[in-house]
Amino acid sequence: MLRTETYTVNFGPQHPATHGVFRVMLNLDGERIVKAEPVCGYLHRGVEKLAENRTYQQVIPYTDRLDYLAAGLQNQGYVETIEKLMEIEVPDRAEYLRIITAELSRIASHVLFVGVYALDIGAFTGFLLCFRERERILDLMEELTGSRMTYSYARIGGVAADAPEGWLDRVEKVVNDLPYYFDIYDDLISGNEIFQARTKYVGYLSAESAVDYSLSGPTLRGSGIDYDLRKAKPYSIYDRFNFEVPLGENGDCFDRYFCRILEMRQSVYILQQAIEQIRETDGPIMAKVPKVLKPPKGEAYHEIESSKGILGYYVVSDGSNKPYRVHVRRPSFVNLGFLDEMCRGGLVADLVAILGSIDIVLGEVDC
Amino acid sequence: MFGKGLVKGLNVTWKEFWSKKFTVQYPDEQHTKPPRFHGKFQLNSDACIACGLCANACPNGVIKIESEKVNKKKYLTKYVMNIQYCLFCGMCVEACNKGALRFTQEHDMSQYFYKDIPLVFVDREAPKPDPETENKEKDDDKSKKAGKAPEKEGQ
C-alpha cells in the first residue's frame, strides 16, 4: 500500500502566533496534522517557588505576572484565598472596587483576545482597532492603581486605595460606551465571511471531552456547558448581580470566540450594577488586618472565574509569616491539554486558529 | 448573501476613517499621567528616619539602607534602590509612615551603563555628634552606642 511518511515540524517557540514563547511539535502528514505536542516552560519563572520566600503580602505583585492581561483577576484570586485561610471579612466597598477592577480586567483581556484573534486569522486592522478600547480601560486602571498592567491593587483584607474623585463617573462613561464598540467588532470581525470560513467548524471540542479534560472558561462554555463560577458558586459578591452566562452551540473556534464577545456584554451589565451599588456603599476599604500576617496552620483552596477559565490558588500555611506552599491552578495551562485532539486532522493554518481560540497567556501557562 | 459581511466591515472602516485620531506623537507629545502613576521614585531624605519599613516591604529586596547612630538618633547614611529589580508594585511607598518615599511622574529611567541604573538617593557621611549632647547622653547612660560616637571624633 502506498503511504506518505510523516515528518516533524517545530511550531515556535519564537513564533508570533503562539502568543509568546511556546512550542508545538507538529507531526505532519503533508499539510495535515497527525499529532500536535505542546511543549511549554520557556517562560517559567518559578512564581510558586518565589512565593515561599516572600511574606503573604509580598506575593501579590508576583500574581500580576501570571496572567498579565488581566492582573486584577489574579490579585483577587490570591487575596481571597488568604482571606479564606485567615477568615477575614472584607468591607463592602472594597469588594465592589475589586469587582469593578476584576470585570474591567476581564473586558480588557477579552478585547485584546478579539484583536489578537483577528490578527491570528490575518486581519491586522482588527488588532489595532481593539487596542483603542483596551487603552481606555488601561487609562482608568492607571488612574486607580498607578500601573497600566501589573496593578497589584488588591490587598489582603481589602484594596490598596480608594477610587480617586470622579473615577467612578469616568468608569461609567467608558462602560456605557463599550457596547457600541462591541457592535463594531461584530460588524467588522464576527460578521466577516473570511473570518467565519477560517473559524467555523474548526477545532471541534465536544462537551463530554471538555468536561473530561476539566477545561474551563469560555473554552468550556463554547461547547455548551453552562459552568461559570460566578453563577455556579458565587464568590465575593457576585450573587448581588444579575447576569447571564453566554454559551456556544457547536464547540468550534467561532463559538469560543463569540462566547467571549457575549461575555464582555455581560461584564458591562455587571459593571453598571456594581457602579450603581458602590455609590450607595460608603465605608472603609481595608479590614482590620495585622501588619505582620501569620495565618493559622492549615491550607486553603479558592477558585475564581478568571478571563481564561477557573483560576485556583492553593496555599498551605505553617503558621509563619511566609506561605509554606503556593500552588496556582492556571486555566491557560489546563486548557492547553486538549490542543492535540483539537488539532488532529486539521491543517497547519487551523492550528493557529485553534491555539488563538483557547486564548492562552504564556505567563500563566509556564507560571 | 455572500459578501454582506465584508461590505458591513468596509462600512465600519469608512466611518472610522473620518473619526477622531487617537495617536499621540510620542515623544513630542505625551499623555498626561495620573497622580498615582508609578514612575521614578523620589526620597525626601530629611523626612526619612531610616526605619527600614520600605526595605522590609519590598518583595525583591531592591532597597538598601544604611544608617548610623548619631546623638541617639538614626542618621541615614545610604539609601540605594537597585531599580533594575524593581517591580513597581508600590509596597515601599505604601509602607512609608513619614511620606518620605514617593512616586513621581517621570518614567524614562533607562541608562546607557549598568552602573548608572541604581538610584542613589543618599550617600553621605554621618555628621560629627554635638559634644554637649554627647556628654549629656554619656552621663545619662553609658551604653555602647554612646561610646562609639567619640571614636568618630578622633578620626
Side-chain angles (χ1 to χ4, degrees):
Chain A
M1 207 181 94
L2 196 71
R3 68 177 185 89
T4 51
E5 275 204 5
T6 59
Y7 60 103
T8 310
V9 169
N10 273 319
F11 182 80
Q14 310 292 344
H15 192 288
T18 60
H19 299 192
V21 275
F22 176 66
R23 176 170 155 219
V24 189
M25 276 163 72
L26 291 174
N27 212 343
L28 298 173
D29 181 9
E31 264 283 283
R32 296 276 166 192
I33 297 168
V34 180
K35 195 173 186 294
E37 195 184 322
V39 183
C40 56
Y42 292 92
L43 200 65
H44 178 68
R45 294 146 302 173
V47 170
E48 289 175 3
K49 189 71 192 166
L50 283 169
E52 290 169 21
N53 290 320
R54 308 281 186 288
T55 62
Y56 283 93
Q57 290 101 327
Q58 285 175 350
V59 180
I60 296 170
Y62 288 92
T63 61
D64 284 336
R65 273 103 184 142
L66 293 173
D67 178 1
Y68 40 78
L69 298 176
L73 289 155
Q74 309 286 313
N75 293 162
Q76 194 195 12
Y78 174 72
V79 296
E80 278 180 8
T81 314
I82 308 297
E83 281 154 13
K84 195 175 175 180
L85 187 64
M86 296 185 69
E87 291 166 5
I88 297 170
E89 192 108 340
V90 182
D92 256 13
R93 194 174 167 82
E95 289 276 24
Y96 277 113
L97 282 168
R98 272 188 205 172
I99 296 285
I100 291 172
T101 47
E103 291 303 321
L104 281 175
S105 298
R106 192 188 309 277
I107 294 176
S109 167
H110 282 351
V111 163
L112 188 81
F113 161 78
V114 172
V116 172
Y117 199 46
L119 177 71
D120 281 345
I121 300 300
F124 201 80
T125 313
F127 180 58
L128 297 178
L129 182 81
C130 295
F131 262 93
R132 183 183 60 180
E133 282 76 76
R134 187 176 152 80
E135 203 67 13
R136 287 189 70 182
I137 296 173
L138 294 192
D139 281 343
L140 287 173
M141 294 304 291
E142 189 183 22
E143 212 179 317
L144 177 70
T145 68
S147 301
R148 296 179 72 77
M149 282 172 82
T150 51
Y151 309 136
S152 304
Y153 179 59
R155 291 284 182 278
I156 297 159
V159 290
D162 206 344
E165 216 185 313
W167 186 76
L168 287 169
D169 299 325
R170 289 190 283 279
V171 174
E172 197 175 19
K173 191 171 178 304
V174 170
V175 163
N176 290 337
D177 286 353
L178 282 173
Y180 166 74
Y181 294 126
F182 300 155
D183 290 342
I184 289 183
Y185 299 162
D186 278 345
D187 284 349
L188 192 74
I189 303 168
S190 318
N192 188 301
E193 273 96 354
I194 301 165
F195 181 79
Q196 290 188 3
R198 286 286 308 276
T199 54
K200 276 200 170 164
Y201 311 111
V202 169
Y204 174 68
L205 170 64
S206 71
E208 293 79 44
S209 35
V211 175
D212 287 350
Y213 278 76
S214 77
L215 307 189
S216 53
T219 315
L220 172 77
R221 292 193 287 275
S223 297
I225 306 273
D226 185 357
Y227 191 70
D228 187 322
L229 276 182
R230 291 175 292 170
K231 259 284 197 270
K233 278 192 257 171
Y235 56 91
S236 189
I237 49 165
Y238 273 107
D239 46 356
R240 296 185 199 172
F241 306 114
N242 282 323
F243 64 99
E244 282 164 21
V245 180
L247 298 175
E249 285 166 10
N250 302 325
D252 55 11
C253 286
F254 185 80
D255 275 11
R256 287 193 281 274
Y257 157 84
F258 203 62
C259 224
R260 290 190 172 91
I261 295 252
L262 296 174
E263 212 169 84
M264 286 197 283
R265 291 183 190 271
Q266 296 301 323
S267 287
V268 167
Y269 290 139
I270 296 175
L271 277 169
Q272 282 166 342
Q273 292 168 49
I275 292 165
E276 204 175 289
Q277 290 174 22
I278 194 176
R279 290 219 166 102
E280 293 150 14
T281 320
D282 259 339
I285 51 157
M286 269 298 270
K288 285 212 166 65
V289 180
K291 282 258 175 196
V292 180
L293 279 184
K294 281 187 179 171
K297 265 188 191 173
E299 55 187 51
Y301 180 72
H302 179 71
E303 46 189 20
I304 65 160
E305 186 72 31
S306 142
S307 60
K308 314 284 185 290
I310 294 172
L311 171 78
Y313 281 90
Y314 174 66
V315 179
V316 182
S317 161
D318 58 355
S320 71
N321 63 347
K322 289 169 183 171
Y324 178 75
R325 176 82 169 94
V326 175
H327 176 72
V328 195
R329 184 224 189 262
R330 296 100 65 194
S332 298
F333 179 70
V334 179
N335 289 354
L336 259 184
F338 202 66
L339 182 71
D340 181 23
E341 281 183 45
M342 274 198 269
C343 292
R344 274 183 199 172
L347 298 165
V348 178
D350 291 340
L351 170 72
V352 178
I354 293 166
L355 194 63
S357 75
I358 308 175
D359 190 19
I360 53 165
V361 169
L362 265 299
E364 200 178 52
V365 172
D366 295 338
C367 191
Chain B
M1 194 192 81
F2 188 79
K4 206 175 143 194
L6 294 177
V7 174
K8 247 187 178 175
L10 270 178
N11 195 23
V12 172
T13 315
W14 178 253
K15 271 192 211 155
E16 290 295 326
F17 186 74
W18 301 107
S19 66
K20 209 179 122 211
K21 303 284 179 286
F22 282 83
T23 316
V24 174
Q25 297 296 336
Y26 184 85
D28 302 330
E29 294 170 39
Q30 292 205 3
H31 279 294
T32 47
K33 293 177 204 77
R36 286 182 192 175
F37 182 72
H38 287 187
K40 196 177 179 176
F41 292 94
Q42 191 184 47
L43 180 81
N44 182 357
S45 52
D46 297 330
C48 180
I49 53 165
C51 60
L53 279 177
C54 47
N56 283 332
C58 181
N60 260 1
V62 167
I63 303 170
K64 295 274 174 290
I65 297 179
E66 280 171 31
S67 62
E68 269 177 46
K69 277 262 162 113
V70 177
N71 295 343
K72 261 195 165 181
K73 253 179 138 185
K74 265 190 177 176
Y75 184 81
L76 185 69
T77 51
K78 203 166 190 180
Y79 195 108
V80 178
M81 278 180 118
N82 286 317
I83 210 80
Q84 65 267 43
Y85 305 124
C86 183
L87 297 166
F88 291 92
C89 60
M91 296 264 181
C92 48
V93 177
E94 206 176 293
C96 186
N97 284 333
K98 298 283 169 189
L101 192 64
R102 287 197 305 119
F103 277 117
T104 60
Q105 311 280 307
E106 203 181 322
H107 67 273
D108 43 351
M109 279 167 275
S110 47
Q111 299 287 346
Y112 279 102
F113 299 102
Y114 191 78
K115 63 173 173 49
D116 296 332
I117 298 172
L119 293 176
V120 183
F121 289 125
V122 177
D123 191 2
R124 60 188 177 191
E125 293 270 307
K128 286 174 186 172
D130 187 15
E132 268 181 40
T133 34
E134 195 62 33
N135 291 335
K136 214 176 167 190
E137 270 168 26
K138 233 178 181 178
D139 296 340
D140 286 350
D141 70 81
K142 284 169 183 170
S143 66
K144 266 186 188 173
K145 289 149 206 165
K148 200 180 160 192
E151 270 176 43
K152 277 253 147 105
E153 267 182 341
Q155 274 173 0

Coordinates of all heavy atoms in Angstrom, one line a residue, chain A residues 3 22 69-70 123 191 202 213 222 237 243 281 331 340 346 349 357:
Chain A
R3 N 1.9 4.8 1.0 CA 1.6 5.8 2.0 C 2.8 6.8 2.1 O 3.9 6.5 1.8 CB 1.3 5.2 3.4 CG 2.5 4.5 4.0 CD 2.2 3.9 5.3 NE 3.5 3.4 5.9 CZ 4.4 4.2 6.6 NH1 4.1 5.4 6.9 NH2 5.5 3.7 7.0
F22 N 6.2 29.6 23.1 CA 5.5 28.4 23.3 C 5.8 27.5 22.0 O 5.8 28.1 20.9 CB 4.0 28.6 23.4 CG 3.2 27.4 23.5 CD1 3.3 26.5 24.6 CD2 2.3 27.1 22.5 CE1 2.5 25.4 24.7 CE2 1.5 25.9 22.6 CZ 1.6 25.1 23.7
L69 N -2.5 40.0 31.3 CA -3.5 40.7 30.6 C -4.7 41.1 31.5 O -5.5 41.9 31.1 CB -3.9 39.9 29.4 CG -2.8 39.7 28.4 CD1 -3.4 38.8 27.3 CD2 -2.3 41.0 27.8
A70 N -4.9 40.3 32.5 CA -6.0 40.5 33.4 C -5.5 40.4 34.9 O -5.9 39.5 35.6 CB -7.1 39.5 33.2
A123 N -6.2 39.4 10.0 CA -6.8 40.8 9.9 C -6.0 41.7 10.8 O -6.2 41.7 12.0 CB -8.2 40.8 10.2
G191 N -18.8 39.2 11.8 CA -19.7 39.0 10.6 C -18.9 38.8 9.3 O -19.4 38.5 8.2
V202 N -14.1 24.5 12.9 CA -12.6 24.2 13.0 C -12.4 24.0 14.5 O -12.9 24.7 15.3 CB -11.8 25.4 12.5 CG1 -10.3 25.2 12.9 CG2 -11.9 25.5 11.0
Y213 N -11.6 16.7 30.2 CA -10.2 17.3 30.3 C -10.2 18.5 31.3 O -9.3 19.2 31.4 CB -9.8 17.8 29.0 CG -9.2 16.7 28.1 CD1 -9.9 15.8 27.5 CD2 -7.8 16.6 28.0 CE1 -9.4 14.7 26.7 CE2 -7.2 15.6 27.2 CZ -8.0 14.7 26.6 OH -7.5 13.7 25.8
G222 N -18.0 27.5 25.3 CA -18.2 27.5 23.8 C -18.7 26.1 23.4 O -19.4 26.1 22.3
I237 N -19.0 39.0 45.9 CA -20.3 39.4 46.0 C -21.1 39.2 44.7 O -22.0 40.0 44.3 CB -20.4 40.9 46.5 CG1 -19.5 41.8 45.6 CG2 -20.1 41.0 47.9 CD1 -19.7 43.2 45.7
F243 N -26.9 38.6 35.8 CA -26.2 38.5 34.5 C -26.5 37.1 34.0 O -26.9 36.2 34.7 CB -24.7 38.8 34.6 CG -23.9 37.8 35.5 CD1 -23.2 36.8 34.9 CD2 -24.0 38.0 36.9 CE1 -22.5 35.9 35.7 CE2 -23.3 37.1 37.7 CZ -22.6 36.1 37.1
T281 N -22.6 52.7 48.8 CA -21.8 52.0 49.8 C -20.6 52.8 50.2 O -19.7 53.1 49.4 CB -21.2 50.7 49.2 OG1 -22.3 50.1 48.4 CG2 -20.8 49.7 50.3
P331 N -5.7 28.3 34.4 CA -6.6 27.9 33.4 C -6.0 27.7 32.0 O -6.3 26.7 31.3 CB -7.7 28.9 33.3 CG -7.1 30.1 34.0 CD -6.2 29.6 35.0
D340 N -3.9 18.9 21.4 CA -3.6 17.8 20.4 C -4.8 17.3 19.7 O -4.9 17.2 18.5 CB -2.9 16.7 21.3 CG -2.4 15.6 20.4 OD1 -2.3 15.8 19.2 OD2 -2.3 14.5 20.9
G346 N -6.5 18.5 11.2 CA -6.6 19.8 10.7 C -5.4 20.2 9.9 O -4.4 19.5 9.9
A349 N -2.6 25.8 9.2 CA -3.3 27.1 9.4 C -4.4 27.0 10.5 O -4.6 28.0 11.2 CB -3.9 27.6 8.1
S357 N -7.9 30.5 19.7 CA -9.3 30.4 20.3 C -9.2 30.0 21.8 O -10.2 30.2 22.5 CB -10.2 29.5 19.5 OG -9.9 28.2 19.7

